């Protein structure tokens, strides 16, 4: 990574983090309800029976109401557990029992499955800081999803869950950055490739 690219990513992440932190309660509640409806539509339209998701942190798009809905509607949900080697293990969960993970992020408590379990889901929904119009996903810099997605020979469709304003013309891209197949925001679903 060049120093300029690294600085550009750090600056953009800081700007996006600040934007997320200054959102009002009304904005958060409105986006949470809209995102839940959009995620439900995604699952229903694509007849998704199992998916990988994550437990959202306070500043992230709130996927928890959708997680509860998925559990009530028999959708099998795998949630990530961070490993020290930079990959992700997975556990089936409904989000009702959690603990703090390696980097302070919420993680499910449950039977740990290997990274290979990810190959059995119908879709992978990832967190992201931003996504460019070309499908380049910029995460928060730890590389867990890039390593995990990059290690999969045949991966299911991958959609980043972001706020509407985080869908940008472009984001800084490095060789290891894994693209996504689409985005899901509170207002829309966009697929880049079929």
């Amino acid at each position: 990574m060049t120093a300029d690219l690294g600085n550009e990513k750090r600056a953009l992440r800081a700007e996006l983090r600040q934007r997320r932190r200054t959102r009002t309660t009304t904005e958060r509640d409105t986006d949470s309800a809209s995102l839940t409806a959009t995620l439900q539509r995604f699952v229903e339209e694509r007849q998704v029976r199992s998916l990988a998701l994550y437990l959202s942190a306070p500043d992230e798009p709130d996927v928890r109401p959708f997680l509860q809905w998925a559990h009530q509607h028999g959708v099998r949900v795998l949630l990530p557990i961070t490993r020290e080697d930079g990959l992700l293990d997975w556990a089936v969960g409904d989000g009702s029992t959690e603990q703090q993970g390696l980097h302070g992020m919420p993680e499910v408590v449950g039977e740990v499955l290997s990274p290979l379990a990810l190959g059995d889901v119908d879709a992978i929904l990832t967190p992201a800081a931003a996504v460019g119009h070309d499908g380049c996903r910029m995460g928060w810099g730890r590389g867990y999803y890039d390593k995990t997605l990059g290690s999969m020979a045949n991966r299911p469709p991958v959609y980043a869950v972001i706020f509407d304003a985080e869908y940008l013309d472009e984001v800084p891209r490095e060789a290891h950055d894994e693209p996504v197949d689409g985005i899901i925001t509170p207002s829309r679903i966009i697929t880049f490739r079929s």
Side-chain angles (χ1 to χ4, degrees):
M1 168 169 72
T2 67
D4 288 347
L5 191 54
N7 290 336
E8 190 179 343
K9 277 187 164 183
R10 275 189 290 285
L12 181 55
R13 284 186 186 115
E15 177 187 330
L16 294 165
R17 195 172 280 117
Q18 182 60 27
R19 266 196 237 162
R20 284 185 174 189
R21 288 186 177 141
T22 59
R23 296 169 55 75
T24 67
T25 302
T26 302
E27 288 172 324
R28 289 174 197 267
D29 291 347
T30 300
D31 277 347
S32 179
S34 297
L35 180 62
T36 300
T38 304
L39 287 165
Q40 289 170 352
R41 184 166 54 90
F42 176 84
V43 164
E44 290 167 347
E45 287 176 353
R46 289 160 178 79
Q47 300 178 346
V48 171
R49 299 307 314 145
S50 65
L51 59 84
L53 191 59
Y54 58 94
L55 292 176
S56 47
D59 291 336
E60 290 183 306
D62 187 7
V63 299
R64 290 169 187 270
F66 166 73
L67 178 58
Q68 293 166 359
W69 176 89
H71 180 69
Q72 292 167 355
H73 288 82
V75 178
R76 183 175 185 254
V77 179
L78 297 183
L79 298 166
I81 299 173
T82 52
R83 298 180 0 176
E84 291 192 19
D85 66 0
L87 290 175
L88 296 170
D89 280 330
W90 298 87
V92 175
D94 61 5
S96 61
T97 309
E98 62 184 69
Q99 64 188 7
Q100 194 174 58
L102 279 180
H103 301 288
M105 297 299 288
E107 290 185 355
V108 67
V109 174
E111 178 189 349
V112 177
L113 307 172
S114 80
L116 298 176
L118 200 55
D120 294 331
V121 298
D122 298 324
I124 300 170
L125 306 183
T126 71
V131 176
H133 286 191
D134 62 353
C136 180
R137 172 192 169 273
M138 186 178 78
W140 293 105
R142 298 202 195 283
Y144 280 94
Y145 278 92
D146 287 323
K147 288 176 191 156
T148 298
L149 297 174
S151 71
M152 297 181 74
N154 296 309
R155 71 181 198 196
V158 179
Y159 283 75
V161 179
I162 56 175
F163 291 112
D164 288 292
E166 296 165 349
Y167 181 46
L168 307 175
D169 288 339
E170 63 181 352
V171 297
R173 183 180 202 145
E174 296 175 77
H176 68 267
D177 290 330
E178 287 291 322
V180 292
D181 300 299
I183 62 167
I184 300 174
T185 74
S187 71
R188 59 193 168 167
I189 300 166
I190 297 175
T191 302
F192 302 126
R193 327 169 229 305
S194 50

